[in-house]
Short mmCIF file of all heavy atoms in Angstrom, two decimals:
data_model
loop_
_atom_site.label_atom_id
_atom_site.label_comp_id
_atom_site.label_asym_id
_atom_site.label_seq_id
_atom_site.Cartn_x
_atom_site.Cartn_y
_atom_site.Cartn_z
N ASP A 171 -16.11 12.00 -6.34
CA ASP A 171 -16.29 12.31 -7.74
C ASP A 171 -17.50 11.64 -8.37
O ASP A 171 -17.60 11.53 -9.58
CB ASP A 171 -15.01 11.98 -8.54
CG ASP A 171 -14.58 10.57 -8.35
OD1 ASP A 171 -15.34 9.74 -7.78
OD2 ASP A 171 -13.46 10.25 -8.76
N TYR A 172 -18.38 11.12 -7.54
CA TYR A 172 -19.63 10.50 -8.04
C TYR A 172 -20.70 10.76 -7.01
O TYR A 172 -20.49 10.48 -5.83
CB TYR A 172 -19.41 9.02 -8.26
CG TYR A 172 -20.61 8.27 -8.80
CD1 TYR A 172 -21.09 8.48 -10.08
CD2 TYR A 172 -21.27 7.34 -8.01
CE1 TYR A 172 -22.20 7.76 -10.57
CE2 TYR A 172 -22.36 6.64 -8.46
CZ TYR A 172 -22.83 6.86 -9.74
OH TYR A 172 -23.90 6.17 -10.20
N TYR A 176 -30.65 8.38 -4.30
CA TYR A 176 -31.41 7.14 -4.20
C TYR A 176 -32.79 7.48 -3.61
O TYR A 176 -32.97 8.35 -2.77
CB TYR A 176 -30.68 6.13 -3.29
CG TYR A 176 -29.60 5.38 -4.02
CD1 TYR A 176 -28.32 5.90 -4.12
CD2 TYR A 176 -29.83 4.16 -4.60
CE1 TYR A 176 -27.30 5.23 -4.78
CE2 TYR A 176 -28.82 3.45 -5.28
CZ TYR A 176 -27.58 4.04 -5.36
OH TYR A 176 -26.58 3.36 -6.04
N GLN A 178 -36.10 5.60 -1.71
CA GLN A 178 -36.42 4.38 -0.96
C GLN A 178 -37.85 4.46 -0.50
O GLN A 178 -38.27 5.40 0.20
CB GLN A 178 -35.49 4.24 0.24
CG GLN A 178 -35.67 2.92 1.01
CD GLN A 178 -34.67 2.73 2.11
OE1 GLN A 178 -34.17 3.68 2.69
NE2 GLN A 178 -34.37 1.47 2.41
N GLY A 181 -40.07 -0.55 3.28
CA GLY A 181 -39.94 -2.00 3.06
C GLY A 181 -39.14 -2.36 1.86
O GLY A 181 -39.01 -3.54 1.54
N LYS A 182 -38.55 -1.40 1.20
CA LYS A 182 -37.77 -1.67 -0.02
C LYS A 182 -36.33 -1.18 0.19
O LYS A 182 -36.05 -0.34 1.03
CB LYS A 182 -38.36 -0.99 -1.23
CG LYS A 182 -39.78 -1.38 -1.54
CD LYS A 182 -39.88 -2.77 -2.06
CE LYS A 182 -41.29 -3.12 -2.54
NZ LYS A 182 -41.41 -4.50 -3.07
N GLY A 183 -35.43 -1.69 -0.64
CA GLY A 183 -34.10 -1.16 -0.66
C GLY A 183 -34.03 0.13 -1.47
O GLY A 183 -34.93 0.40 -2.27
N PRO A 184 -32.98 0.95 -1.29
CA PRO A 184 -32.84 2.14 -2.10
C PRO A 184 -32.68 1.82 -3.60
O PRO A 184 -32.09 0.81 -3.95
CB PRO A 184 -31.53 2.76 -1.57
CG PRO A 184 -31.32 2.13 -0.24
CD PRO A 184 -31.87 0.75 -0.33
N ALA A 185 -33.24 2.70 -4.42
CA ALA A 185 -33.12 2.50 -5.88
C ALA A 185 -32.53 3.77 -6.47
O ALA A 185 -32.90 4.88 -6.09
CB ALA A 185 -34.52 2.25 -6.47
N LEU A 186 -31.55 3.60 -7.37
CA LEU A 186 -30.90 4.75 -7.99
C LEU A 186 -31.88 5.57 -8.82
O LEU A 186 -32.63 5.02 -9.63
CB LEU A 186 -29.75 4.29 -8.90
CG LEU A 186 -28.96 5.37 -9.62
CD1 LEU A 186 -28.24 6.24 -8.61
CD2 LEU A 186 -28.03 4.79 -10.63
N ARG A 191 -21.56 13.48 -12.07
CA ARG A 191 -20.11 13.60 -11.80
C ARG A 191 -19.75 15.07 -11.81
O ARG A 191 -20.41 15.87 -12.44
CB ARG A 191 -19.31 12.81 -12.85
CG ARG A 191 -19.60 11.33 -12.80
CD ARG A 191 -18.69 10.51 -13.73
NE ARG A 191 -19.10 9.13 -13.79
CZ ARG A 191 -18.75 8.22 -12.89
NH1 ARG A 191 -17.98 8.56 -11.87
NH2 ARG A 191 -19.16 6.98 -13.02
N PHE A 229 -32.19 9.78 -0.47
CA PHE A 229 -30.87 9.84 0.07
C PHE A 229 -29.89 10.39 -0.97
O PHE A 229 -29.89 9.85 -2.12
CB PHE A 229 -30.38 8.47 0.50
CG PHE A 229 -31.14 7.89 1.67
CD1 PHE A 229 -32.20 7.01 1.46
CD2 PHE A 229 -30.79 8.18 2.97
CE1 PHE A 229 -32.88 6.46 2.52
CE2 PHE A 229 -31.49 7.64 4.05
CZ PHE A 229 -32.54 6.79 3.82
N SER A 233 -19.17 9.13 -3.51
CA SER A 233 -18.11 8.12 -3.46
C SER A 233 -16.89 8.61 -4.28
O SER A 233 -16.96 9.64 -4.96
CB SER A 233 -18.62 6.80 -4.03
OG SER A 233 -18.91 6.90 -5.41
N ARG A 234 -15.81 7.87 -4.16
CA ARG A 234 -14.58 8.18 -4.87
C ARG A 234 -14.32 7.05 -5.86
O ARG A 234 -14.51 5.91 -5.57
CB ARG A 234 -13.43 8.24 -3.92
CG ARG A 234 -13.53 9.30 -2.84
CD ARG A 234 -12.51 9.09 -1.75
NE ARG A 234 -11.14 8.98 -2.27
CZ ARG A 234 -10.14 8.44 -1.64
NH1 ARG A 234 -10.33 7.93 -0.41
NH2 ARG A 234 -8.92 8.39 -2.16
N TYR A 235 -13.86 7.42 -7.08
CA TYR A 235 -13.62 6.40 -8.09
C TYR A 235 -12.63 5.35 -7.56
O TYR A 235 -12.83 4.17 -7.80
CB TYR A 235 -13.04 7.06 -9.35
CG TYR A 235 -12.70 6.06 -10.44
CD1 TYR A 235 -13.68 5.56 -11.25
CD2 TYR A 235 -11.40 5.58 -10.59
CE1 TYR A 235 -13.39 4.64 -12.23
CE2 TYR A 235 -11.09 4.66 -11.53
CZ TYR A 235 -12.10 4.17 -12.37
OH TYR A 235 -11.80 3.24 -13.33
N ILE A 236 -11.63 5.79 -6.83
CA ILE A 236 -10.59 4.87 -6.38
C ILE A 236 -11.14 3.83 -5.41
O ILE A 236 -10.56 2.73 -5.27
CB ILE A 236 -9.42 5.64 -5.73
CG1 ILE A 236 -8.19 4.72 -5.60
CG2 ILE A 236 -9.81 6.20 -4.38
CD1 ILE A 236 -6.93 5.47 -5.17
N THR A 237 -12.23 4.09 -4.73
CA THR A 237 -12.84 3.12 -3.80
C THR A 237 -14.12 2.50 -4.40
O THR A 237 -14.84 1.81 -3.68
CB THR A 237 -13.12 3.75 -2.45
OG1 THR A 237 -13.99 4.87 -2.63
CG2 THR A 237 -11.86 4.17 -1.76
N GLY A 238 -14.37 2.79 -5.65
CA GLY A 238 -15.53 2.16 -6.28
C GLY A 238 -16.84 2.63 -5.68
O GLY A 238 -16.94 3.75 -5.16
N ASN A 239 -17.88 1.80 -5.75
CA ASN A 239 -19.19 2.27 -5.30
C ASN A 239 -19.34 1.97 -3.79
O ASN A 239 -20.30 1.33 -3.35
CB ASN A 239 -20.30 1.64 -6.12
CG ASN A 239 -20.16 0.12 -6.27
OD1 ASN A 239 -19.57 -0.50 -5.43
ND2 ASN A 239 -20.69 -0.38 -7.35
N GLN A 240 -18.41 2.45 -3.00
CA GLN A 240 -18.51 2.42 -1.56
C GLN A 240 -19.03 3.80 -1.15
O GLN A 240 -18.29 4.77 -1.04
CB GLN A 240 -17.13 2.14 -0.94
CG GLN A 240 -16.56 0.83 -1.36
CD GLN A 240 -15.12 0.62 -0.88
OE1 GLN A 240 -14.68 1.30 0.03
NE2 GLN A 240 -14.44 -0.30 -1.52
N PHE A 241 -20.34 3.87 -0.93
CA PHE A 241 -21.02 5.17 -0.82
C PHE A 241 -21.05 5.68 0.61
O PHE A 241 -21.21 4.91 1.57
CB PHE A 241 -22.45 5.09 -1.36
CG PHE A 241 -22.52 4.68 -2.78
CD1 PHE A 241 -23.15 3.52 -3.17
CD2 PHE A 241 -21.99 5.51 -3.80
CE1 PHE A 241 -23.24 3.15 -4.52
CE2 PHE A 241 -22.07 5.13 -5.12
CZ PHE A 241 -22.69 3.98 -5.50
N PHE A 243 -23.61 7.95 2.54
CA PHE A 243 -24.97 8.40 2.37
C PHE A 243 -25.29 9.56 3.29
O PHE A 243 -24.75 9.63 4.43
CB PHE A 243 -26.00 7.28 2.68
CG PHE A 243 -26.14 6.30 1.55
CD1 PHE A 243 -25.31 5.19 1.42
CD2 PHE A 243 -27.15 6.45 0.61
CE1 PHE A 243 -25.45 4.28 0.38
CE2 PHE A 243 -27.33 5.53 -0.42
CZ PHE A 243 -26.48 4.47 -0.56
N GLY A 244 -26.20 10.44 2.87
CA GLY A 244 -26.75 11.42 3.77
C GLY A 244 -27.79 10.75 4.68
O GLY A 244 -28.03 9.55 4.57
N THR A 245 -28.39 11.54 5.55
CA THR A 245 -29.28 10.97 6.59
C THR A 245 -30.72 10.81 6.04
O THR A 245 -31.55 10.26 6.76
CB THR A 245 -29.30 11.87 7.82
OG1 THR A 245 -29.52 13.21 7.41
CG2 THR A 245 -28.00 11.74 8.57
N GLY A 246 -30.99 11.28 4.85
CA GLY A 246 -32.29 11.06 4.24
C GLY A 246 -33.27 12.19 4.41
O GLY A 246 -33.21 12.94 5.39
N GLU B 1246 -38.29 -4.72 -9.58
CA GLU B 1246 -37.39 -5.47 -8.76
C GLU B 1246 -35.98 -5.48 -9.33
O GLU B 1246 -35.76 -5.47 -10.55
CB GLU B 1246 -37.88 -6.95 -8.63
CG GLU B 1246 -39.24 -7.12 -7.96
CD GLU B 1246 -39.25 -6.56 -6.55
OE1 GLU B 1246 -38.24 -6.76 -5.84
OE2 GLU B 1246 -40.26 -5.93 -6.16
N SER B 1278 -21.71 -5.23 -2.03
CA SER B 1278 -21.42 -4.35 -0.90
C SER B 1278 -22.52 -4.54 0.12
O SER B 1278 -23.67 -4.80 -0.22
CB SER B 1278 -21.40 -2.89 -1.34
OG SER B 1278 -20.46 -2.67 -2.37
N TYR B 1280 -24.39 -2.87 3.61
CA TYR B 1280 -24.64 -1.61 4.34
C TYR B 1280 -25.55 -1.91 5.57
O TYR B 1280 -26.40 -2.78 5.49
CB TYR B 1280 -25.36 -0.60 3.44
CG TYR B 1280 -24.47 -0.02 2.35
CD1 TYR B 1280 -24.25 -0.68 1.16
CD2 TYR B 1280 -23.86 1.22 2.53
CE1 TYR B 1280 -23.46 -0.15 0.17
CE2 TYR B 1280 -23.05 1.76 1.56
CZ TYR B 1280 -22.85 1.06 0.37
OH TYR B 1280 -22.05 1.62 -0.59
N GLN B 1282 -28.34 0.01 7.89
CA GLN B 1282 -29.20 1.20 7.92
C GLN B 1282 -30.00 1.18 9.24
O GLN B 1282 -30.96 0.44 9.40
CB GLN B 1282 -30.12 1.24 6.72
CG GLN B 1282 -30.98 2.53 6.67
CD GLN B 1282 -31.84 2.62 5.44
OE1 GLN B 1282 -32.11 1.65 4.73
NE2 GLN B 1282 -32.29 3.84 5.11
N GLY B 1285 -34.25 5.47 10.63
CA GLY B 1285 -34.22 6.90 10.42
C GLY B 1285 -32.89 7.48 9.96
O GLY B 1285 -32.70 8.69 9.92
N GLN B 1286 -31.96 6.60 9.58
CA GLN B 1286 -30.63 7.03 9.13
C GLN B 1286 -30.34 6.55 7.71
O GLN B 1286 -31.07 5.72 7.19
CB GLN B 1286 -29.57 6.48 10.08
CG GLN B 1286 -29.69 6.92 11.51
CD GLN B 1286 -29.47 8.42 11.67
OE1 GLN B 1286 -28.55 8.97 11.09
NE2 GLN B 1286 -30.31 9.05 12.41
N GLY B 1287 -29.32 7.11 7.12
CA GLY B 1287 -28.86 6.60 5.86
C GLY B 1287 -28.04 5.36 6.01
O GLY B 1287 -27.47 5.07 7.08
N PRO B 1288 -27.92 4.57 4.94
CA PRO B 1288 -27.08 3.35 5.01
C PRO B 1288 -25.62 3.68 5.29
O PRO B 1288 -25.11 4.71 4.78
CB PRO B 1288 -27.27 2.76 3.60
CG PRO B 1288 -28.53 3.31 3.06
CD PRO B 1288 -28.62 4.70 3.67
N PHE B 1290 -21.74 2.08 5.04
CA PHE B 1290 -20.96 1.05 4.35
C PHE B 1290 -20.24 0.15 5.35
O PHE B 1290 -19.54 0.65 6.22
CB PHE B 1290 -19.94 1.71 3.43
CG PHE B 1290 -18.99 0.80 2.76
CD1 PHE B 1290 -19.41 -0.06 1.75
CD2 PHE B 1290 -17.65 0.74 3.10
CE1 PHE B 1290 -18.54 -0.92 1.09
CE2 PHE B 1290 -16.75 -0.10 2.50
CZ PHE B 1290 -17.23 -0.93 1.49
N GLN B 1293 -17.09 -4.42 1.18
CA GLN B 1293 -17.37 -4.77 -0.23
C GLN B 1293 -16.54 -5.99 -0.63
O GLN B 1293 -15.38 -6.09 -0.22
CB GLN B 1293 -17.09 -3.60 -1.15
CG GLN B 1293 -17.34 -3.83 -2.61
CD GLN B 1293 -16.97 -2.65 -3.47
OE1 GLN B 1293 -15.79 -2.45 -3.83
NE2 GLN B 1293 -17.92 -1.83 -3.81
N ASN B 1300 -12.73 -5.94 -0.71
CA ASN B 1300 -12.22 -4.83 -1.52
C ASN B 1300 -12.49 -3.46 -0.88
O ASN B 1300 -12.71 -2.48 -1.55
CB ASN B 1300 -12.88 -4.90 -2.91
CG ASN B 1300 -12.28 -3.90 -3.89
OD1 ASN B 1300 -11.09 -3.72 -3.95
ND2 ASN B 1300 -13.15 -3.20 -4.60
N GLY B 1301 -12.50 -3.43 0.43
CA GLY B 1301 -12.76 -2.19 1.14
C GLY B 1301 -13.64 -2.45 2.31
O GLY B 1301 -14.51 -3.34 2.31
N LEU B 1333 -31.61 -2.43 9.59
CA LEU B 1333 -31.84 -3.03 8.28
C LEU B 1333 -30.52 -3.24 7.58
O LEU B 1333 -29.74 -2.32 7.48
CB LEU B 1333 -32.75 -2.12 7.41
CG LEU B 1333 -33.12 -2.61 6.04
CD1 LEU B 1333 -34.07 -3.83 6.13
CD2 LEU B 1333 -33.79 -1.52 5.23
N LEU B 1335 -28.55 -4.09 4.25
CA LEU B 1335 -28.76 -4.07 2.81
C LEU B 1335 -27.55 -4.58 2.08
O LEU B 1335 -26.41 -4.31 2.47
CB LEU B 1335 -29.01 -2.62 2.36
CG LEU B 1335 -30.27 -1.92 2.89
CD1 LEU B 1335 -30.13 -0.42 2.73
CD2 LEU B 1335 -31.52 -2.43 2.12
N SER B 1339 -23.19 -4.87 -8.10
CA SER B 1339 -22.91 -4.06 -9.28
C SER B 1339 -22.03 -4.85 -10.23
O SER B 1339 -21.37 -5.84 -9.85
CB SER B 1339 -22.22 -2.76 -8.90
OG SER B 1339 -21.09 -3.00 -8.11
N ALA B 1341 -19.25 -4.05 -11.55
CA ALA B 1341 -17.83 -4.00 -11.24
C ALA B 1341 -17.72 -3.10 -10.03
O ALA B 1341 -18.66 -2.40 -9.64
CB ALA B 1341 -17.04 -3.43 -12.41
N TRP B 1342 -16.52 -3.05 -9.43
CA TRP B 1342 -16.39 -2.32 -8.15
C TRP B 1342 -16.26 -0.82 -8.37
O TRP B 1342 -16.43 -0.06 -7.43
CB TRP B 1342 -15.14 -2.81 -7.38
CG TRP B 1342 -13.83 -2.59 -8.05
CD1 TRP B 1342 -13.19 -3.45 -8.86
CD2 TRP B 1342 -12.99 -1.44 -7.96
NE1 TRP B 1342 -12.00 -2.89 -9.32
CE2 TRP B 1342 -11.86 -1.66 -8.78
CE3 TRP B 1342 -13.14 -0.20 -7.28
CZ2 TRP B 1342 -10.86 -0.74 -8.92
CZ3 TRP B 1342 -12.12 0.72 -7.41
CH2 TRP B 1342 -10.98 0.47 -8.23
N GLN B 1343 -16.04 -0.38 -9.62
CA GLN B 1343 -15.95 1.05 -9.88
C GLN B 1343 -17.36 1.70 -9.79
O GLN B 1343 -18.34 1.04 -9.47
CB GLN B 1343 -15.37 1.32 -11.26
CG GLN B 1343 -13.90 0.90 -11.40
CD GLN B 1343 -13.76 -0.51 -11.89
OE1 GLN B 1343 -14.71 -1.25 -11.91
NE2 GLN B 1343 -12.55 -0.86 -12.30
N ASN B 1344 -17.42 2.97 -10.03
CA ASN B 1344 -18.65 3.70 -9.88
C ASN B 1344 -19.69 3.39 -10.92
O ASN B 1344 -20.07 4.20 -11.76
CB ASN B 1344 -18.38 5.23 -9.90
CG ASN B 1344 -17.62 5.65 -8.66
OD1 ASN B 1344 -17.50 4.90 -7.72
ND2 ASN B 1344 -17.06 6.83 -8.72
N THR B 1345 -20.18 2.22 -10.87
CA THR B 1345 -21.32 1.83 -11.74
C THR B 1345 -22.54 1.72 -10.85
O THR B 1345 -22.46 1.76 -9.61
CB THR B 1345 -21.08 0.51 -12.41
OG1 THR B 1345 -20.79 -0.49 -11.40
CG2 THR B 1345 -19.87 0.58 -13.37
N GLU B 1346 -23.66 1.61 -11.45
CA GLU B 1346 -24.94 1.62 -10.70
C GLU B 1346 -24.95 0.40 -9.77
O GLU B 1346 -24.62 -0.70 -10.14
CB GLU B 1346 -26.11 1.54 -11.65
CG GLU B 1346 -27.46 1.54 -10.94
CD GLU B 1346 -28.62 1.62 -11.92
OE1 GLU B 1346 -28.37 1.76 -13.13
OE2 GLU B 1346 -29.78 1.59 -11.45
N ALA B 1347 -25.30 0.66 -8.52
CA ALA B 1347 -25.45 -0.37 -7.51
C ALA B 1347 -26.92 -0.68 -7.33
O ALA B 1347 -27.74 0.25 -7.16
CB ALA B 1347 -24.80 0.08 -6.20
N PHE B 1349 -29.75 -2.42 -5.05
CA PHE B 1349 -29.96 -2.86 -3.68
C PHE B 1349 -31.03 -3.91 -3.57
O PHE B 1349 -32.01 -3.91 -4.32
CB PHE B 1349 -30.34 -1.68 -2.80
CG PHE B 1349 -29.17 -0.79 -2.41
CD1 PHE B 1349 -28.76 0.19 -3.25
CD2 PHE B 1349 -28.55 -0.97 -1.19
CE1 PHE B 1349 -27.67 1.03 -2.92
CE2 PHE B 1349 -27.48 -0.16 -0.82
CZ PHE B 1349 -27.05 0.84 -1.66
N GLY B 1350 -30.82 -4.82 -2.63
CA GLY B 1350 -31.89 -5.76 -2.28
C GLY B 1350 -32.86 -5.07 -1.30
O GLY B 1350 -32.70 -3.91 -0.94
N GLN B 1351 -33.87 -5.85 -0.90
CA GLN B 1351 -34.91 -5.25 -0.03
C GLN B 1351 -34.48 -5.22 1.43
O GLN B 1351 -35.11 -4.59 2.25
CB GLN B 1351 -36.21 -6.06 -0.16
CG GLN B 1351 -36.33 -7.31 0.70
CD GLN B 1351 -35.55 -8.49 0.15
OE1 GLN B 1351 -34.85 -8.39 -0.88
NE2 GLN B 1351 -35.60 -9.62 0.82
#
Side-chain angles (χ1 to χ4, degrees):
Chain A
D171 55 11
Y172 180 69
Y176 280 85
Q178 185 175 29
K182 302 289 187 181
L186 179 66
R191 296 187 187 276
F229 293 96
S233 67
R234 300 166 54 199
Y235 178 81
I236 194 170
T237 57
N239 50 27
Q240 300 174 17
F241 300 117
F243 281 87
T245 50
Chain B
E1246 297 300 321
S1278 303
Y1280 289 82
Q1282 185 176 18
Q1286 299 295 316
F1290 175 71
Q1293 181 182 81
N1300 187 44
L1333 180 68
L1335 296 161
S1339 56
W1342 64 268
Q1343 293 92 346
N1344 291 346
T1345 57
E1346 182 174 357
F1349 282 84
Q1351 84 283 2

